Amino acid sequence: MVAARLAQDKNVQVLLIEAGGDDNAPSISDPAQWPLNLGSSHDWAFEGEPSPHLNGRRLPLNMGKVLGGGSSINVMVWARGHKADWDYFADETGDPDWGYDSILNYYRRIEDWQGKADPTRRGAGGPVYVAQPHSPQPLAEITVDAAKDLGIAKFESANGEMMEGDGGAAIAELRIRDNKRQSIFRSYTQPIMSQPNLTVLTGALVTRIIFSGKTAVGVEAMVGDKILRVGADREVVLSLGAVHTPKVLMQSGIGPENELRRHGIPMVQGLPGVGENHQDHIAFGCTWEYLKPQLVGGGGCEAVLYAKSDARLPAPDIVQCQLEFAVPPPPEVGLQAPEHGWTMFAGLAQPKSRGRVRLSGPQPNDPIIVTPNSLSDPQDMETA
């Protein structure tokens, strides 16, 4: 998205570097095949360190390694931030432009919403196609109705008024058009690939930022077994995800002094926060077996739910994505998922636990060490 926006200025040359390959694969374009991407060449397939808070388990950390990143391998559910989240950012920064009312302007500009018109909250004609399934499966409809019976409000849209209050349940909004995935790459970058001021380089792993003093003037990337050095006249933008961004920063000399010194990396700028405060929405799967097989719609998630574990909270802290298939349990559980079933996949929308990302060595091929620390905060366990 950033590359496409920058390339709107025809007076600049933009280079987009991607470590993975192109997205021309049925497992990416076909919404029903997205689970096949997990653990494949389209997935970085990181693993967390064994955690004492999870009985020694290692959490899988799937991240897209392909044009479009995570949006090319995920479940395709469109989920916008809650009003309380954006207003919190505004309060913390002292900048009202981070507040919900301001961000709504961006949401409206981004979206091409196919549902009921809501001019205050939803946009039309933007690059991001968003639609609810035309015929949700019975499980999705029953989930929303069951939530209503429990006192959780039912909404026509998950990303309008529902994102301003105490939570709710709704039919999911999906990034699927004509039965094809709509990744961020497909929405923003692919339509302008013919522009002469935009170059997309795949199969190139960015390994280091090149500095002149303390100014970033380019990057190094590995293409096959060769090192490519690329200069930048104006700016370098790192958008490598929550794992590789801190890795490249630290291996380039930006990060905690003791971490850089431990691996013999010359320090360009001491920055203690790099690699800290790793967090994720850990979720828990509860699976039921079908007596009679049922169809799976869209990418397998057609209903979403947000709720509070405590009515005194300012915003929902529980999120549920209702999955119309049986999610395989972790290998160490020693159980097989039923051939036909569905999974209530609920988790923490506001996790308090924090982990970290550390280097195992100074070289690009040295694996990154991710310590998620999931459920280390007692409040997370209570909410779960």
Side-chain angles (χ1 to χ4, degrees), residues 5-30:
R5 291 295 305 279
L6 291 172
Q8 290 178 357
D9 183 347
K10 302 298 175 59
N11 295 315
V12 302
Q13 293 291 322
V14 179
L15 172 64
L16 171 62
I17 302 177
E18 166 60 47
D22 63 45
D23 63 347
N24 294 317
S27 61
I28 293 175
S29 61
D30 182 354

Side-chain angles (χ1 to χ4, degrees), residues 340-354:
H340 301 289
W342 62 276
T343 297
M344 176 188 292
F345 204 63
L348 307 180
Q350 300 281 354
K352 303 298 186 292
S353 302
R354 297 293 183 266

Side-chain angles (χ1 to χ4, degrees), residues 127-171:
V128 177
Y129 182 94
V130 181
Q132 291 171 311
H134 294 300
S135 300
Q137 298 303 313
L139 176 64
E141 301 280 12
I142 291 169
T143 297
V144 175
D145 290 339
K148 182 179 179 182
D149 291 343
L150 290 171
I152 299 171
K154 178 180 179 179
F155 287 85
E156 288 187 349
S157 161
N159 289 300
E161 184 183 359
M162 183 170 140
M163 282 292 102
E164 298 174 357
D166 293 336
I171 297 299

Side-chain angles (χ1 to χ4, degrees), residues 31 51 113 160 208 231 257 311 332 357:
S51 172
W113 166 235
R208 193 172 71 87
E257 183 177 358
E332 55 268 34
V357 175

Side-chain angles (χ1 to χ4, degrees), residues 196-254:
N197 70 327
L198 173 64
T199 301
V200 177
L201 176 63
T202 58
L205 175 66
V206 172
T207 58
R208 193 172 71 87
I209 306 166
I210 301 170
F211 289 98
S212 175
K214 292 191 175 184
T215 301
V217 295
V219 296
E220 284 186 358
M222 290 183 64
V223 183
D225 58 356
K226 297 181 179 179
I227 295 292
L228 175 69
R229 293 174 61 92
V230 182
D233 291 335
R234 299 199 181 185
E235 60 182 336
V236 174
V237 178
L238 289 187
S239 182
L240 310 178
V243 175
H244 269 140
T245 300
K247 178 183 182 182
V248 169
L249 285 172
M250 287 188 285
Q251 290 189 333
S252 301
I254 299 177

Side-chain angles (χ1 to χ4, degrees), residues 316-362:
D317 62 335
I318 296 172
V319 58
Q320 177 178 323
C321 182
Q322 193 74 334
L323 300 180
E324 298 170 354
F325 54 90
V327 175
E332 55 268 34
V333 174
L335 297 174
Q336 296 295 321
E339 183 179 0
H340 301 289
W342 62 276
T343 297
M344 176 188 292
F345 204 63
L348 307 180
Q350 300 281 354
K352 303 298 186 292
S353 302
R354 297 293 183 266
R356 63 182 302 202
V357 175
R358 292 174 295 141
L359 298 176
S360 67

